[in-house]
Amino acid sequence: GVFPEQASFTAKVIAPQFGAIALAFDIIQTEGNTYLRDQLTRQWQIVPAGALAINFSNINQSIADGLATMSGAALKDGSSIDGVDTHLLVGAIEAASLQGLVPSASEDTTLRLSVWVGIDDLLVRKVSIAGVLLPNDPQDLTRVLYLRDFGVNLQIAPPI
C-alpha cells in the first residue's frame, strides 16, 4: 500500500470496558507537521514532537515496518471505504515493530494488524491495531486510523 505524505485521518480508540463509547480524534499530517483538532473549539493545534504517545509524523514507515514483520498474513475482501473498493490484509505483528509510531510500544506482545488498501490506487484507507501496544493497555483495546483527503490542499487556521 501507499502512505501519502499529506492526508487527514481520524483516530479512534475502542475499549470494551468503556461500553459502546469510542474516543475519536481528528488529525492532519502535512509537510512534516502534525495537527490535532481541539474537540471543544474545533480549532487545529500543532502537536509538538513527543507530546503524544503516538508519533504521527512517522506513521508511513511504522506501518510499513509492521507489515514487513507480519506473520499469518491473509488477504481478504475489504469491502468499500468512502466509495473505494479495498483489499484487507490481516495478520499478527510484534508490538515492538511499531516503535517508530509508538516509541514506548511493548517489547513482548503480539498485535493483530488489519490494513485496508484501495484496489485501484493502492492508498491505505484504514488501519486497525488490536491488542496491548502500550504496557498499560487492556488486552481488548483497538486503535483504528481512518485515512482520507489524500493530497488535498488543507487550510489550517492557527488558534487565536
Side-chain angles (χ1 to χ4, degrees):
V2 177
F3 292 91
E5 289 301 316
Q6 179 171 300
S8 62
F9 53 98
T10 300
K12 289 188 179 181
V13 179
I14 304 162
Q17 71 265 29
F18 298 132
I21 297 173
L23 303 175
F25 306 93
D26 294 323
I27 300 158
I28 289 177
Q29 179 172 335
T30 182
E31 299 175 2
N33 293 316
T34 301
Y35 299 86
L36 179 68
R37 188 191 314 250
D38 183 296
Q39 295 301 307
L40 297 175
T41 66
R42 305 300 294 162
Q43 290 183 325
W44 291 101
Q45 298 179 353
I46 194 162
V47 178
L52 298 174
I54 298 177
N55 177 10
F56 289 106
S57 66
N58 200 24
I59 190 171
N60 302 356
Q61 186 60 49
S62 297
I63 299 300
D65 290 346
L67 288 171
T69 65
M70 184 178 277
S71 62
L75 186 63
K76 302 178 178 186
D77 175 14
S79 299
S80 176
I81 297 177
D82 295 331
V84 176
D85 291 332
T86 65
H87 290 299
L88 170 58
L89 181 63
V90 296
I93 64 168
E94 295 302 314
S97 70
L98 295 180
Q99 286 180 337
L101 179 63
V102 182
S104 56
S106 296
E107 292 282 339
D108 57 355
T109 60
T110 301
L111 304 169
R112 181 161 179 80
L113 180 67
S114 302
V115 180
W116 287 257
V117 178
I119 291 174
D120 294 328
D121 60 14
L122 300 180
L123 289 171
V124 174
R125 303 289 171 162
K126 181 178 171 183
V127 176
S128 174
I129 304 167
V132 178
L133 179 56
L134 294 169
N136 294 326
D137 283 351
Q139 190 72 2
D140 52 4
L141 187 73
T142 301
R143 292 169 172 87
V144 183
L145 303 175
Y146 297 90
L147 291 87
R148 62 188 182 282
D149 300 332
F150 303 102
V152 172
N153 287 328
L154 305 170
Q155 298 297 320
I156 300 172
I160 297 174

